[in-house]
Amino acid sequence: MADNVDDANDLVLLHLAAELAKAKPSLPPLTGICYYCDALTDERFCDADCRDDYEREQRKILMRKRG
């Protein structure tokens, strides 16, 4: 039987998981195409510039959503 400490710990873990999910954007799945410029690639992005530009755009979108 769970006591108050166990219940509180479960609640904290739930809140932590929710905050981590909001804080860390999930990476898009591998498709063989760059997510920024649509070039063929074995990775998510064809180079660091495309990755940085994509992340910058995602941060802008997130900022607009949060206000």
Side-chain angles (χ1 to χ4, degrees):
M1 177 177 235
D3 61 4
N4 290 342
V5 174
D6 291 331
D7 292 338
N9 190 46
D10 291 342
L11 187 60
V12 167
L13 290 176
L14 242 159
H15 284 287
L16 179 62
E19 290 300 316
L20 287 174
K22 286 193 290 187
K24 184 179 179 185
S26 61
L27 292 174
L30 293 174
T31 61
I33 299 173
C34 176
Y35 269 87
Y36 191 74
C37 71
D38 295 330
L40 294 177
T41 180
D42 293 332
E43 302 294 326
R44 288 175 178 87
F45 304 99
C46 60
D47 60 17
D49 290 332
C50 281
R51 181 199 62 220
D52 294 344
D53 290 342
Y54 176 85
E55 288 174 353
R56 190 175 303 113
E57 283 185 4
Q58 294 304 307
R59 281 193 301 272
K60 285 181 185 178
I61 291 168
L62 186 61
M63 293 268 206
R64 282 188 218 128
K65 286 181 182 178
R66 291 185 179 174

